[in-house]
Amino acid sequence: MAYRWKNTLTARDVTPYQTYLNRRQLMAGAVAGAGFASIGGSLQAKEGLEPNSYEDITQYNNYYEFGTGKTDPAANAHTLVTDNWTVKIDGMVDKPGDYAFEDIMKAMTVEERIYRFRCVEAWSMVIPWNGFELADMLAMAGVQSGAKYVAFETALRPDEMPGVRFPVLDWPYVEGLRLDEAMHPLTIMATGIYGKDIPNQNGAPLRLVVPWKYGFKSIKSIVRITLTDEEPATSWNKANAREYGFYSNVNPEVSHPRWSQASERPVGGGLFAKRIPTLMFNGYEEEVAGLYEGMDLKANF
Ligand SMILES: Nc1nc2c(c(=O)[nH]1)N[C@H]1C(S)=C(S)[C@@H](COP(=O)(O)O)O[C@H]1N2
Ligand SMILES: [Mo]
């Protein structure tokens, strides 16, 4: 697609896409520049992050259910049916059940969050997400006092996902967070990008975004969320425990066994773009370091 979406949407920008647009996401995009007082809002004001183009964000992806190449998800994910989507919330909650995506959207307040995004492969982007705080969604289900972790699961649909025919990972894709990480105000469920419904290749209709962790923690197309008192299994840890830990916090001082994590390649800067230094907790140290006080971050990678 030829459009390179700018940070601010105008009526003219969105008119051709009217039919695809989710009203709430449009409205969230429209108020995003108005300086709301949320933590994400203060961050983007402080740092003036320049987002990647809509093209970069939606044509260069990791979504192995649709193939392992960077352009496979954009080419293949159109087959994913996101109509009548439900998210099962179960485990240690007061109100377990199958929550319709439409009902979740009615209950949540969608806002824009411009976040840095850092893949463990050492490329990075800046993405203007639309979404809501995961804490608000969990509150809807009523988290019980004994819960310590949150487990997430992606849809597994062999008829719609050509990549799951290959045993690259142990499907379905699963991820997990400690409850305090899940409840942190920076942790969101994204439902849009640049004010438009999130494209399938980016994890439609809703996906996790945890900006201070490597990208693989940000699990896509979620169908189940389970509150538990045990550390949940995670896909990349199951695939290679030596290389991928449960925490996977962005940390320039802890190398991947096969490459350094000290710097990163911003996507979209061209072939000879300079690498930039990777920041502790991906630049969100001030907000999240407290979650890991006293923890050995090399042992708990
Ligand atoms: N279900 C699922 N979620 C996933 C992945 C995947 O392969 N399957 N890839 C992860 C990885 S490695 C990254 S870097 C991000 C990429 O998100 P993006 O394509 O929206 O940039 O999604 C994460 N979430
Ligand atoms: Mo990644």
Side-chain angles (χ1 to χ4, degrees):
M1 105 152 55
Y3 288 86
R4 293 180 73 88
W5 288 75
K6 293 279 184 255
N7 196 3
T8 318
L9 286 172
T10 66
R12 199 187 51 190
D13 286 328
V14 299
T15 302
Y17 293 93
Q18 208 91 293
T19 47
Y20 304 102
L21 283 170
N22 175 306
R23 228 198 155 86
R24 298 170 67 89
Q25 284 168 10
L26 221 182
M27 282 157 53
V31 297
F36 53 86
S38 73
I39 187 165
S42 67
L43 274 173
Q44 66 197 53
K46 187 173 70 190
E47 303 175 26
L49 292 175
E50 181 66 40
N52 278 83
S53 69
Y54 186 79
E55 248 178 322
D56 287 342
I57 298 167
T58 61
Q59 307 294 315
Y60 186 94
N61 301 98
N62 275 333
Y63 197 167
Y64 280 14
E65 286 87 335
F66 297 98
T68 55
K70 291 287 179 283
T71 57
D72 289 343
N76 298 330
H78 59 91
T79 51
L80 180 67
V81 177
T82 58
D83 296 341
N84 304 313
W85 196 272
T86 61
V87 181
K88 181 184 288 299
I89 308 183
D90 63 0
M92 304 172 82
V93 290
D94 295 332
K95 287 171 275 180
D98 295 318
Y99 289 77
F101 175 68
E102 305 292 316
D103 295 337
I104 296 169
M105 288 299 273
K106 273 180 212 147
M108 298 292 116
T109 306
V110 174
E111 50 180 273
E112 183 182 64
R113 297 285 180 92
I114 302 177
Y115 282 165
R116 265 190 276 275
F117 189 90
R118 171 60 157 83
C119 174
V120 75
E121 299 163 337
W123 53 266
S124 66
M125 296 200 202
V126 175
I127 304 181
W129 303 106
N130 306 91
F132 46 83
E133 292 182 13
L134 175 61
D136 292 338
M137 186 175 166
L138 296 180
M140 193 177 68
V143 177
Q144 295 180 344
S145 61
K148 294 192 179 74
Y149 295 91
V150 187
F152 304 87
E153 193 176 305
T154 294
L156 174 53
R157 301 193 190 157
D159 294 343
E160 300 171 24
M161 296 173 151
V164 305
R165 275 182 250 133
F166 307 97
V168 198
L169 290 169
D170 179 16
W171 313 110
Y173 196 101
V174 289
E175 257 305 335
L177 294 172
R178 229 169 48 189
L179 184 62
D180 58 347
E181 298 175 322
M183 299 300 266
H184 193 281
L186 282 176
T187 303
I188 60 167
M189 296 294 280
T191 56
I193 291 172
Y194 272 113
K196 305 201 289 175
D197 286 349
I198 194 166
N200 287 359
Q201 61 266 35
N202 292 87
L206 81 172
R207 61 89 63 87
L208 184 68
V209 177
V210 193
W212 71 92
K213 291 178 179 285
Y214 291 120
F216 65 83
K217 297 293 291 183
S218 293
I219 180 173
K220 296 178 170 181
S221 307
I222 293 167
V223 291
R224 186 175 182 188
I225 298 178
T226 307
L227 279 291
T228 164
D229 57 3
E230 279 171 39
E231 187 180 289
T234 62
S235 281
W236 281 100
N237 181 256
K238 282 197 281 181
N240 191 337
R242 206 176 69 88
E243 298 192 349
Y244 307 104
F246 175 77
Y247 284 94
S248 294
N249 292 314
V250 175
N251 188 337
E253 286 156 26
V254 177
S255 295
H256 185 280
R258 291 181 281 134
W259 59 84
S260 164
Q261 296 290 24
S263 70
E264 63 201 48
R265 176 181 63 86
V267 170
L271 203 53
F272 303 104
K274 269 218 201 99
R275 294 179 76 88
I276 58 173
T278 288
L279 301 172
M280 187 64 199
F281 294 113
N282 204 25
Y284 302 99
E285 183 170 16
E286 202 181 300
E287 289 79 10
V288 303
L291 295 172
Y292 310 104
E293 229 170 76
M295 249 177 75
D296 179 348
L297 298 176
K298 282 200 165 72
N300 298 283
F301 61 98

